[in-house]
Coordinates of all heavy atoms in Angstrom, one line a residue:
Chain A
E990 N -156.8 -29.3 -83.0 CA -157.7 -29.1 -81.8 C -158.4 -27.8 -82.0 O -157.8 -26.7 -81.8 CB -156.8 -29.1 -80.6 CG -157.5 -29.1 -79.3 CD -158.0 -30.5 -78.9 OE1 -157.4 -31.5 -79.5 OE2 -158.9 -30.6 -78.1
L993 N -158.7 -24.2 -79.8 CA -157.4 -23.7 -79.4 C -156.6 -23.3 -80.6 O -155.9 -22.3 -80.5 CB -156.7 -24.8 -78.6 CG -157.3 -25.1 -77.2 CD1 -156.4 -26.1 -76.5 CD2 -157.5 -23.9 -76.4
N1030 N -152.3 5.7 -67.5 CA -151.2 5.8 -66.6 C -151.4 4.9 -65.4 O -152.2 5.3 -64.5 CB -151.0 7.3 -66.2 CG -149.7 7.6 -65.5 OD1 -148.9 6.6 -65.3 ND2 -149.6 8.7 -65.0
V1031 N -150.7 3.8 -65.3 CA -151.0 2.8 -64.3 C -149.8 2.9 -63.3 O -148.6 3.0 -63.7 CB -151.1 1.4 -64.9 CG1 -151.6 0.5 -63.8 CG2 -152.1 1.5 -66.0
N1032 N -150.1 2.7 -62.0 CA -149.0 2.7 -61.0 C -148.0 1.6 -61.2 O -146.8 1.7 -60.9 CB -149.6 2.5 -59.6 CG -150.1 3.8 -59.0 OD1 -149.6 4.9 -59.4 ND2 -151.0 3.7 -58.1
I1033 N -148.5 0.5 -61.7 CA -147.6 -0.7 -61.9 C -147.4 -1.0 -63.4 O -147.3 -2.1 -63.8 CB -148.1 -1.9 -61.2 CG1 -149.6 -2.1 -61.6 CG2 -148.0 -1.8 -59.7 CD1 -150.1 -3.5 -61.2
L1036 N -144.9 -3.6 -64.4 CA -145.4 -5.0 -64.1 C -146.5 -5.4 -65.1 O -146.6 -6.6 -65.5 CB -145.9 -5.1 -62.7 CG -144.8 -5.0 -61.6 CD1 -145.4 -5.2 -60.3 CD2 -143.7 -6.0 -61.8
V1037 N -147.3 -4.4 -65.5 CA -148.4 -4.8 -66.5 C -147.8 -5.3 -67.8 O -148.2 -6.3 -68.3 CB -149.3 -3.5 -66.7 CG1 -150.1 -3.8 -67.9 CG2 -150.1 -3.3 -65.5
L1039 N -144.8 -6.6 -68.2 CA -144.2 -7.9 -67.9 C -145.2 -9.0 -67.9 O -145.1 -10.1 -68.4 CB -143.4 -7.9 -66.7 CG -142.1 -7.1 -66.7 CD1 -141.3 -7.3 -65.3 CD2 -141.2 -7.6 -67.8
G1040 N -146.4 -8.7 -67.2 CA -147.4 -9.7 -67.1 C -148.0 -10.1 -68.4 O -148.3 -11.2 -68.8
S1043 N -145.8 -12.2 -70.4 CA -145.8 -13.6 -69.9 C -147.1 -14.4 -70.3 O -147.1 -15.6 -70.4 CB -145.6 -13.7 -68.4 OG -146.6 -13.1 -67.7
I1044 N -148.2 -13.6 -70.5 CA -149.4 -14.3 -70.9 C -149.3 -14.6 -72.4 O -149.8 -15.6 -72.9 CB -150.6 -13.4 -70.7 CG1 -150.8 -13.2 -69.2 CG2 -151.9 -14.0 -71.3 CD1 -151.1 -14.4 -68.4
V1046 N -147.1 -15.9 -74.0 CA -146.4 -17.2 -74.3 C -147.5 -18.2 -74.7 O -147.2 -19.1 -75.5 CB -145.7 -17.7 -73.0 CG1 -144.9 -18.9 -73.4 CG2 -144.8 -16.6 -72.5
Y1047 N -148.7 -18.1 -74.1 CA -149.7 -19.1 -74.3 C -150.1 -19.2 -75.8 O -150.4 -20.3 -76.3 CB -151.0 -18.7 -73.6 CG -150.9 -19.1 -72.1 CD1 -150.8 -18.2 -71.1 CD2 -150.9 -20.4 -71.7 CE1 -150.7 -18.5 -69.8 CE2 -150.8 -20.8 -70.4 CZ -150.7 -19.8 -69.4 OH -150.6 -20.1 -68.1
T1050 N -147.4 -21.5 -77.3 CA -147.5 -22.8 -76.7 C -148.7 -23.5 -77.3 O -148.6 -24.7 -77.8 CB -147.7 -22.7 -75.2 OG1 -146.7 -21.8 -74.7 CG2 -147.5 -24.0 -74.5
L1051 N -149.9 -22.8 -77.3 CA -151.1 -23.5 -77.7 C -151.1 -23.8 -79.2 O -151.6 -24.8 -79.7 CB -152.3 -22.7 -77.3 CG -152.6 -22.6 -75.8 CD1 -153.8 -21.8 -75.5 CD2 -152.8 -24.0 -75.3
W1054 N -149.2 -27.0 -79.8 CA -149.9 -28.2 -79.3 C -151.1 -28.5 -80.2 O -151.4 -29.7 -80.6 CB -150.2 -28.0 -77.9 CG -150.8 -29.3 -77.3 CD1 -150.2 -30.4 -77.0 CD2 -152.3 -29.5 -77.1 NE1 -151.1 -31.3 -76.5 CE2 -152.3 -30.8 -76.6 CE3 -153.4 -28.8 -77.3 CZ2 -153.6 -31.4 -76.3 CZ3 -154.6 -29.3 -77.0 CH2 -154.7 -30.6 -76.5
L1062 N -145.0 -28.8 -82.6 CA -144.9 -29.0 -81.1 C -143.5 -28.8 -80.6 O -143.3 -28.1 -79.6 CB -145.3 -30.5 -80.8 CG -145.3 -30.8 -79.3 CD1 -146.4 -30.0 -78.6 CD2 -145.6 -32.3 -79.1
S1065 N -142.8 -25.1 -80.5 CA -143.5 -24.4 -79.4 C -142.9 -24.8 -78.1 O -142.8 -23.9 -77.1 CB -145.0 -24.6 -79.4 OG -145.3 -25.9 -78.9
L1066 N -142.4 -26.0 -78.0 CA -141.8 -26.4 -76.7 C -140.4 -25.6 -76.5 O -140.2 -25.1 -75.4 CB -141.4 -27.9 -76.7 CG -142.6 -28.9 -76.4 CD1 -142.1 -30.3 -76.5 CD2 -143.2 -28.5 -75.1
T1069 N -141.4 -22.0 -75.6 CA -141.8 -21.9 -74.2 C -140.7 -21.9 -73.2 O -140.6 -21.1 -72.3 CB -142.9 -22.9 -73.8 OG1 -143.8 -23.1 -74.9 CG2 -143.6 -22.6 -72.6
A1070 N -139.8 -22.9 -73.4 CA -138.7 -23.1 -72.5 C -137.8 -21.8 -72.6 O -137.3 -21.3 -71.5 CB -137.9 -24.3 -72.9
I1073 N -139.6 -18.7 -70.9 CA -139.6 -18.8 -69.4 C -138.2 -18.6 -68.8 O -138.0 -17.9 -67.9 CB -140.1 -20.2 -68.9 CG1 -141.6 -20.4 -69.4 CG2 -140.0 -20.3 -67.4 CD1 -142.1 -21.7 -69.0
E1076 N -137.2 -14.9 -69.2 CA -138.1 -13.9 -68.5 C -137.4 -13.5 -67.2 O -137.5 -12.4 -66.7 CB -139.4 -14.6 -68.2 CG -140.6 -13.6 -68.3 CD -141.9 -14.4 -68.5 OE1 -142.1 -15.2 -67.6 OE2 -142.5 -14.2 -69.4
L1093 N -142.7 1.9 -60.0 CA -143.0 1.0 -61.1 C -143.8 1.7 -62.2 O -144.1 1.1 -63.2 CB -143.7 -0.3 -60.7 CG -142.9 -1.2 -59.8 CD1 -143.8 -2.2 -59.1 CD2 -141.9 -1.9 -60.6
Chain B
H78 N -160.1 -33.2 -70.7 CA -158.8 -33.1 -71.2 C -157.9 -32.2 -70.3 O -158.3 -31.1 -69.9 CB -158.7 -32.5 -72.6 CG -157.5 -32.9 -73.4 ND1 -156.3 -32.4 -73.1 CD2 -157.3 -33.8 -74.4 CE1 -155.4 -33.0 -73.8 NE2 -156.0 -33.8 -74.6
I80 N -155.3 -30.3 -70.7 CA -155.0 -29.0 -71.2 C -156.1 -28.0 -71.0 O -156.0 -26.8 -70.7 CB -154.4 -29.1 -72.6 CG1 -153.0 -28.5 -72.5 CG2 -155.2 -28.2 -73.6 CD1 -152.1 -28.7 -73.7
H81 N -157.3 -28.5 -71.3 CA -158.5 -27.6 -71.1 C -158.7 -27.2 -69.7 O -159.0 -26.1 -69.3 CB -159.7 -28.3 -71.7 CG -159.7 -28.5 -73.1 ND1 -160.5 -29.4 -73.8 CD2 -159.0 -28.0 -74.1 CE1 -160.2 -29.4 -75.1 NE2 -159.3 -28.5 -75.3
L84 N -156.1 -24.6 -68.8 CA -156.5 -23.3 -69.3 C -157.6 -22.7 -68.5 O -157.6 -21.4 -68.3 CB -156.8 -23.4 -70.8 CG -155.7 -23.7 -71.7 CD1 -156.1 -23.9 -73.1 CD2 -154.6 -22.6 -71.6
V87 N -156.1 -21.1 -65.6 CA -155.5 -19.8 -66.0 C -156.6 -18.6 -66.0 O -156.4 -17.6 -65.4 CB -154.9 -19.8 -67.4 CG1 -154.4 -18.4 -67.8 CG2 -153.8 -20.8 -67.4
M91 N -156.5 -15.3 -63.7 CA -156.6 -13.9 -64.2 C -157.8 -13.2 -63.6 O -157.7 -12.0 -63.3 CB -156.7 -14.0 -65.7 CG -155.6 -14.6 -66.4 SD -154.1 -13.7 -66.4 CE -154.5 -12.4 -67.6
W98 N -157.0 -6.4 -58.0 CA -156.7 -5.0 -58.5 C -157.8 -4.1 -58.1 O -157.6 -2.9 -57.7 CB -156.5 -5.0 -60.0 CG -155.8 -3.8 -60.5 CD1 -155.9 -2.5 -60.0 CD2 -155.0 -3.7 -61.7 NE1 -155.2 -1.6 -60.7 CE2 -154.6 -2.3 -61.7 CE3 -154.5 -4.6 -62.6 CZ2 -153.7 -1.9 -62.7 CZ3 -153.7 -4.1 -63.6 CH2 -153.3 -2.7 -63.7
E103 N -152.6 -3.7 -56.0 CA -152.0 -3.7 -57.4 C -150.9 -4.7 -57.5 O -150.8 -5.5 -58.5 CB -151.5 -2.4 -57.8 CG -152.6 -1.3 -57.9 CD -152.0 0.0 -58.0 OE1 -151.0 0.3 -57.3 OE2 -152.5 0.9 -58.8
F104 N -150.0 -4.6 -56.6 CA -148.8 -5.5 -56.6 C -149.2 -7.0 -56.6 O -148.6 -7.8 -57.3 CB -147.8 -5.1 -55.5 CG -146.6 -5.9 -55.6 CD1 -145.6 -5.6 -56.5 CD2 -146.3 -7.0 -54.7 CE1 -144.4 -6.3 -56.6 CE2 -145.1 -7.7 -54.8 CZ -144.2 -7.4 -55.8
A107 N -150.5 -8.0 -60.0 CA -149.4 -8.2 -61.0 C -148.7 -9.5 -60.6 O -148.3 -10.2 -61.6 CB -148.5 -7.0 -61.0
V110 N -150.6 -12.5 -61.8 CA -150.5 -12.7 -63.2 C -149.1 -13.2 -63.6 O -149.0 -14.2 -64.4 CB -150.9 -11.4 -64.0 CG1 -150.6 -11.6 -65.5 CG2 -152.3 -11.0 -63.8
I111 N -148.1 -12.5 -63.2 CA -146.8 -12.9 -63.6 C -146.3 -14.3 -63.1 O -145.8 -15.1 -63.9 CB -145.7 -11.8 -63.2 CG1 -146.0 -10.5 -63.9 CG2 -144.3 -12.3 -63.5 CD1 -145.2 -9.4 -63.5
S114 N -150.2 -17.2 -63.5 CA -150.6 -17.5 -64.8 C -149.5 -17.5 -65.8 O -149.5 -18.2 -66.8 CB -151.8 -16.6 -65.3 OG -151.9 -15.5 -64.4
G115 N -148.4 -16.6 -65.5 CA -147.4 -16.5 -66.5 C -146.3 -17.5 -66.4 O -145.6 -17.8 -67.4
M118 N -148.4 -21.8 -64.5 CA -149.3 -22.5 -65.4 C -148.7 -22.8 -66.7 O -149.1 -23.8 -67.4 CB -150.6 -21.6 -65.5 CG -151.5 -21.7 -64.3 SD -151.7 -23.3 -63.7 CE -152.6 -24.2 -64.9
V119 N -147.8 -21.9 -67.2 CA -147.1 -22.2 -68.4 C -146.3 -23.5 -68.3 O -146.3 -24.4 -69.2 CB -146.2 -21.1 -68.9 CG1 -145.3 -21.5 -70.0 CG2 -147.0 -19.9 -69.2
L120 N -145.7 -23.7 -67.1 CA -144.9 -24.9 -66.9 C -145.9 -26.2 -66.8 O -145.6 -27.2 -67.4 CB -144.2 -24.8 -65.5 CG -142.9 -24.2 -65.6 CD1 -142.2 -24.2 -64.2 CD2 -142.0 -24.9 -66.6
V122 N -148.8 -26.4 -68.4 CA -149.2 -26.7 -69.8 C -148.0 -27.4 -70.6 O -148.2 -28.3 -71.4 CB -149.6 -25.4 -70.5 CG1 -149.8 -25.6 -72.0 CG2 -150.9 -24.9 -69.9
F123 N -146.8 -26.9 -70.3 CA -145.6 -27.4 -70.9 C -145.4 -28.9 -70.6 O -145.2 -29.7 -71.5 CB -144.4 -26.6 -70.3 CG -143.1 -26.9 -70.9 CD1 -142.7 -26.3 -72.1 CD2 -142.2 -27.7 -70.4 CE1 -141.5 -26.4 -72.7 CE2 -140.9 -27.9 -70.9 CZ -140.6 -27.3 -72.1
M126 N -148.1 -31.0 -72.4 CA -147.8 -31.1 -73.8 C -146.6 -32.1 -74.0 O -146.7 -32.9 -74.9 CB -147.3 -29.7 -74.4 CG -148.5 -28.9 -74.8 SD -148.0 -27.2 -75.1 CE -146.5 -27.4 -76.0
L127 N -145.6 -32.0 -73.1 CA -144.4 -32.8 -73.2 C -144.8 -34.3 -73.0 O -144.3 -35.2 -73.7 CB -143.4 -32.4 -72.2 CG -141.9 -32.7 -72.5 CD1 -141.5 -32.0 -73.8 CD2 -141.1 -32.2 -71.4
N179 N -156.0 5.4 -58.9 CA -154.6 5.6 -58.9 C -154.2 6.6 -57.9 O -153.0 7.1 -57.9 CB -154.1 6.1 -60.3 CG -153.7 5.0 -61.2 OD1 -153.5 3.9 -60.7 ND2 -153.4 5.2 -62.4
A181 N -153.8 6.3 -54.6 CA -152.8 5.7 -53.6 C -151.8 4.8 -54.3 O -152.2 4.1 -55.3 CB -153.6 4.9 -52.6
D182 N -150.6 4.9 -53.9 CA -149.6 4.0 -54.4 C -149.1 3.2 -53.2 O -148.3 3.7 -52.4 CB -148.5 4.8 -55.0 CG -147.4 4.0 -55.8 OD1 -147.6 2.8 -55.7 OD2 -146.5 4.5 -56.3
I184 N -147.3 0.3 -53.2 CA -146.2 -0.7 -53.4 C -145.1 -0.4 -52.3 O -144.6 -1.4 -51.7 CB -145.7 -0.6 -54.8 CG1 -146.8 -1.0 -55.7 CG2 -144.5 -1.5 -54.9 CD1 -146.4 -0.8 -57.2

Side-chain angles (χ1 to χ4, degrees):
Chain A
E990 191 78 20
L993 294 183
N1030 188 6
V1031 189
N1032 276 339
I1033 49 166
L1036 292 183
V1037 167
L1039 290 182
S1043 63
I1044 295 300
V1046 188
Y1047 283 108
T1050 313
L1051 292 179
W1054 184 77
L1062 185 66
S1065 76
L1066 283 179
T1069 314
I1073 296 177
E1076 216 163 58
L1093 292 165
Chain B
H78 204 289
I80 238 169
H81 295 159
L84 291 176
V87 175
M91 298 290 285
W98 197 329
E103 296 168 320
F104 184 74
V110 171
I111 294 173
S114 15
M118 285 317 293
V119 170
L120 275 182
V122 172
F123 189 80
M126 277 168 43
L127 203 62
N179 266 350
D182 188 359
I184 295 171

